């Protein structure tokens, strides 16, 4: 079973259109692909009908930015009813927060003599503005040499052009995903610049507010990392998910389906055995 349950299109900060992403998933022989753009479910509406017998099943999804103890925590939801009013309303608010954050960055940039961020963003295909787009703008204007530098020097919270957004709480994101009939998944738990002790507290809190699953295997996570995540999932009685967090074919380490299989202690708790696994409804 190859289920990539975390991926992005150009409706948020990926580079492929929804159809291009689906084509890549077919050629990489995935069984399941969940499209989980940042704070947007719009990609799904743009997908053409899948070729018959292509072997791929598509799941709707989203990756919601939340705040927990001043950390930005990402909650993935899969198998969503995209017409659910609570979901639509939350994502509209989140997209507005993204725009307001970009406007704050634009003001800082203008003070430094760099103009045109908002018109650059309006030319993009995205419905959810990301710092990734701002990083591209900084590179195009010679402010940063590459993405790494753009984020490190300029776009993190303490960076020169950084700005905070007051994302919703983890509980709000999880409740909304459940209202829309989806499964909630804590994304990439070791990517939040926290020590192991804090990661454990985060997962405990996620489970306490009814989160159901966590990513156990994902791109760039070595076997020790996967085993560590698997232990934490078991300890908190969470379902185990897998996903690449694919953004672009230019990053070969985060390609679709490129992650290790779930370790033995997690096979029974793989999220595709969840009673509300959306694949069963397809
Ligand atoms: P946002 O959700 O708008 O705050 O943007 C965060 C996104 O930027 C993440 O989802 C990544 O895709 C990307 N990102 C964050 N840090 C880096 C980095 N150091 N280098 C490249 N991309 C990054
Ligand atoms: Mn991203
Ligand atoms: Mn993320
Ligand atoms: Mn992601």
């Amino acid at each position: 079973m190859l289920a990539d349950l975390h991926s992005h299109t150009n409706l948020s900060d990926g580079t492929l259109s929804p159809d291009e992403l689906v084509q890549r998933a077919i050629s990489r022989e995935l069984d399941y692909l969940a499209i989980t753009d940042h704070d947007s479910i719009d990609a799904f509406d743009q997908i053409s009908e899948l070729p018959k017998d292509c072997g791929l099943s598509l799941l709707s999804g989203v990756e919601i930015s939340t705040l927990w103890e001043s950390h930005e925590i990402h909650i993935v939801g899969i198998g969503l009813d995209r017409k659910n009013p609570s979901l639509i309303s939350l994502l509209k608010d989140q997209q507005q927060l993204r725009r307001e954050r970009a406007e704050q960055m634009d003001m800082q940039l203008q003070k430094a003599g760099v103009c045109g961020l908002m018109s650059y963003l309006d030319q993009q295909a995205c419905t959810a503005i990301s710092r990734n787009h701002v990083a591209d703008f900084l590179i195009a204007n010679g402010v940063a040499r590459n993405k790494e530098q753009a984020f490190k020097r300029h776009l993190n919270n303490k960076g020169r052009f950084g700005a905070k957004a007051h994302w919703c709480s983890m509980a709000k994101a999880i409740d909304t995903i459940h209202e829309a009939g989806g499964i909630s998944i804590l994304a990439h738990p070791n990517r939040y610049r926290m020590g192991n002790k804090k990661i454990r507290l985060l997962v405990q809190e996620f489970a306490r507010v009814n989160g159901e699953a966590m990513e156990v295997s994902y791109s760039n996570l070595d076997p020790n990392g996967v085993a560590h995540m698997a232990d934490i999932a078991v300890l908190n009685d969470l379902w185990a998910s897998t996903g690449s967090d694919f953004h672009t074919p230019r990053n070969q380490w985060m390609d679709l389906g490129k992650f290790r299989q779930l370790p033995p202690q997690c096979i029974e708790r793989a999220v595709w055995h969840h009673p509300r696994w959306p694949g069963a409804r397809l």
Side-chain angles (χ1 to χ4, degrees), residues 1-262:
M1 166 74 108
L2 190 52
D4 194 329
L5 305 178
H6 188 156
S7 68
H8 297 273
T9 72
N10 60 2
L11 276 288
S12 65
D13 59 352
T15 61
L16 300 187
S17 70
D19 273 340
E20 287 167 342
L21 178 74
V22 169
Q23 281 312 315
R24 194 172 186 86
I26 293 171
S27 64
R28 292 188 58 84
E29 300 187 341
L30 300 191
D31 297 299
Y32 291 99
L33 172 72
I35 304 181
T36 57
D37 276 311
H38 297 285
D39 295 314
S40 166
I41 44 171
D42 296 344
F44 229 77
D45 293 326
Q46 296 191 8
I47 292 168
S48 321
E49 208 174 313
L50 287 185
K52 279 210 170 70
D53 306 322
C54 69
L56 177 72
S57 299
L58 276 185
L59 309 180
S60 63
V62 70
E63 179 176 18
I64 302 178
S65 291
T66 74
L67 269 185
W68 175 70
E69 297 197 347
S70 75
H71 293 276
E72 293 196 10
I73 306 298
H74 290 178
I75 308 293
V76 163
I78 57 169
L80 305 163
D81 168 10
R82 288 173 296 120
K83 295 204 170 72
N84 179 271
S86 306
L87 179 65
I88 291 170
S89 156
L90 175 65
L91 298 184
K92 191 166 157 249
D93 290 349
Q94 295 275 112
Q95 286 168 19
Q96 181 60 22
L97 289 174
R98 286 178 171 277
R99 174 158 281 276
E100 286 165 10
R101 183 182 59 167
E103 284 165 354
Q104 283 181 41
M105 291 174 173
D106 181 44
M107 280 195 319
Q108 294 301 112
L109 278 161
Q110 285 191 38
K111 277 187 205 154
V114 185
C115 298
L117 175 64
M118 297 316 291
S119 54
Y120 171 84
L121 293 174
D122 287 338
Q123 285 161 25
Q124 308 302 312
C126 61
T127 51
I129 296 168
S130 161
R131 280 182 300 165
N132 232 331
H133 299 110
V134 183
D136 288 336
F137 175 81
L138 294 183
I139 295 164
N141 283 273
V143 179
R145 247 182 294 134
N146 51 43
K147 280 261 162 91
E148 215 40 53
Q149 198 190 56
F151 275 93
K152 217 169 178 178
R153 267 197 208 165
H154 304 296
L155 296 179
N156 68 40
N157 284 340
K158 294 189 190 107
R160 196 169 163 217
F161 306 119
K164 279 190 175 173
H166 294 283
W167 307 120
C168 68
S169 66
M170 281 207 290
K172 171 80 180 171
I174 292 166
D175 287 349
T176 307
I177 289 166
H178 294 167
E179 256 190 72
I183 300 174
S184 53
I185 304 169
L186 177 63
H188 42 62
N190 79 333
R191 287 206 199 131
Y192 298 117
R193 294 167 194 261
M194 302 175 176
N196 283 337
K197 212 168 149 190
K198 189 93 195 218
I199 293 176
R200 282 171 189 271
L201 287 176
L202 165 66
V203 178
Q204 263 176 32
E205 178 61 12
F206 172 79
R208 192 186 70 79
V209 292
N210 300 320
E212 296 166 287
M214 63 178 262
E215 290 183 355
V216 163
S217 181
Y218 41 98
S219 51
N220 294 324
L221 198 59
D222 65 16
N224 284 336
V226 174
H228 183 218
M229 291 304 143
D231 288 345
I232 298 180
V234 172
L235 198 67
N236 290 278
D237 198 17
L238 293 173
W239 298 88
S241 187
T242 55
S244 63
D245 201 4
F246 174 85
H247 283 73
T248 172
R250 293 197 287 270
N251 185 347
Q252 57 165 319
W253 305 110
M254 292 174 79
D255 209 337
L256 282 177
K258 198 158 184 172
F259 43 77
R260 291 162 212 283
Q261 290 198 343
L262 287 177

